[in-house]
Amino acid sequence: MQYSTTEGFLPLREWLAEHTHLASPVTPDHIQIMTGGQQSLDLIAKILIDPGDTLLVETPTYMGAVQSFRPYRPNFAAVPTDEQGIDMDALAALLRDLAAQGRTPKFIYTIPNFQNPTGRTLSLERRQLLLDLTEQYGVLVVEDDPYGQLRFSGESLPSLAALMLERTGDDTDQSHVIYCSSFSKTLAPGLRDAWVQAAAPIIDRLVLAKQGADMCSPTLNQMIVTELLPLLPSQIARLRESYAGRAERMLRALGRELPSGVTYTVPQGACSCG
């Protein structure tokens, strides 16, 4: 029942370093435990955003992220999306226009898997293009991935963080992707355990910001999550089955009740808060 280190309970960070990106393991030093995914977004904003900075966001995007970023007084630039996620031609044009004005966006915020609120998934080709463009223009990527493990159809896609690690030879400190995820959608929202994976200099600044926010996430909650990790695969399998059934019933109802000409996304995974 004591304080733990600000970085988080070491056995939990060790597990996350090994399992978050199976093809590209990282070290516990690149993992920061957070009190819920919302704190991840708030502290990332706190250490990165200066008033007047430009942030790129998908349109539409998760309102909770906008609420986290807005107190730090950025200027938002909306990036159009379609059924495959971010429109890369539009993003390239926007980055060119901003560069011509001498402005470099601080970061782009994206939810690649089953995006909230659209349910869309960023295609593999566009994931690679997103990394190309952000590398070219020196823009950080904040990848919010709370739903990635809840895929119930289609082919699993590597995270932006994993794709970037392939490019850097597993050198996390050379990655410009800040990866955020949470146990809220896969285990228990009430435990409020989430994490950020990023280059060591960013983690170092997040540690300082978290010390000013709450010193550490609840130690007992982190220990409970660690004890439950062996049950996580079966829990995720149950959730996938449940969400697949809900999606099927929803799509049948939409096809039956909506008038002709109305279009909607057919999701490949869960985009849900419950």
Side-chain angles (χ1 to χ4, degrees):
M1 303 298 287
Q2 261 293 357
Y3 297 111
S4 64
T5 60
T6 301
E7 293 84 347
F9 187 50
L10 181 57
L12 180 56
R13 288 190 291 127
E14 289 175 335
W15 187 92
L16 288 169
E18 181 179 354
H19 290 85
T20 299
H21 306 295
L22 295 179
S24 302
V26 297
T27 72
D29 292 338
H30 297 106
I31 303 286
Q32 169 64 59
I33 303 298
M34 295 292 190
T35 308
Q38 208 62 26
Q39 185 181 61
S40 300
L41 300 177
D42 175 60
L43 294 186
I44 287 169
K46 186 174 186 177
I47 68 168
L48 292 180
I49 299 174
D50 293 313
D53 279 347
T54 299
L55 303 187
L56 305 181
V57 295
E58 299 162 329
T59 179
T61 192
Y62 170 49
M63 282 305 300
V66 175
Q67 291 170 336
S68 293
F69 303 152
R70 195 181 296 279
Y72 303 98
R73 295 188 291 164
N75 295 317
F76 293 98
V79 184
T81 61
D82 59 24
E83 287 303 313
Q84 296 186 62
I86 296 171
D87 181 330
M88 291 299 154
D89 290 337
L91 175 60
L94 178 57
L95 289 170
R96 282 196 305 269
D97 290 345
L98 290 170
Q101 301 169 32
R103 297 162 60 193
T104 300
K106 187 59 64 74
F107 60 76
I108 180 169
Y109 171 75
T110 180
I111 308 172
N113 296 312
F114 328 126
Q115 197 253 15
N116 185 345
T118 66
R120 297 166 175 167
T121 294
L122 187 64
S123 68
L124 179 58
E125 179 183 7
R126 293 194 185 186
R127 291 176 194 230
Q128 297 285 14
L129 288 171
L130 176 59
L131 294 177
D132 291 341
L133 285 169
T134 50
E135 278 191 288
Q136 178 184 346
Y137 286 93
V139 179
L140 291 169
V141 177
V142 175
E143 178 181 14
D144 198 2
D145 187 32
Y147 316 112
Q149 295 186 72
L150 299 179
R151 174 178 289 276
F152 49 71
S153 68
E155 181 182 357
S156 293
L157 298 174
S159 66
L160 295 168
L163 291 172
M164 193 63 217
L165 288 173
E166 290 178 2
R167 298 184 180 201
T168 63
D170 289 356
D171 186 349
T172 305
D173 290 339
Q174 297 301 313
S175 174
H176 68 290
V177 177
I178 303 171
Y179 178 85
C180 308
S181 193
S182 170
F183 289 105
S184 290
K185 307 301 183 289
T186 57
L187 196 57
L191 290 174
R192 309 306 299 135
D193 270 9
W195 72 93
V196 173
Q197 173 194 309
I202 292 174
I203 294 296
D204 290 343
R205 293 181 65 186
L206 285 174
V207 170
L208 294 175
K210 187 165 174 62
Q211 287 173 344
D214 62 3
M215 293 300 293
C216 67
S217 295
T219 309
L220 180 60
N221 291 15
Q222 295 180 67
M223 296 174 76
I224 291 171
V225 168
T226 305
E227 288 294 313
L228 292 175
L229 289 174
L231 302 178
L232 193 58
S234 60
Q235 167 72 355
I236 289 173
R238 284 194 294 270
L239 288 172
R240 287 172 175 166
E241 182 178 0
S242 174
Y243 281 125
R246 295 185 194 183
E248 183 181 2
R249 291 190 294 274
M250 177 188 71
L251 293 169
R252 282 203 307 266
L254 290 174
R256 182 178 64 248
E257 303 294 339
L258 292 182
S260 61
V262 175
T263 62
Y264 47 85
T265 298
V266 177
Q268 296 179 323
C271 169
S272 170
C273 296

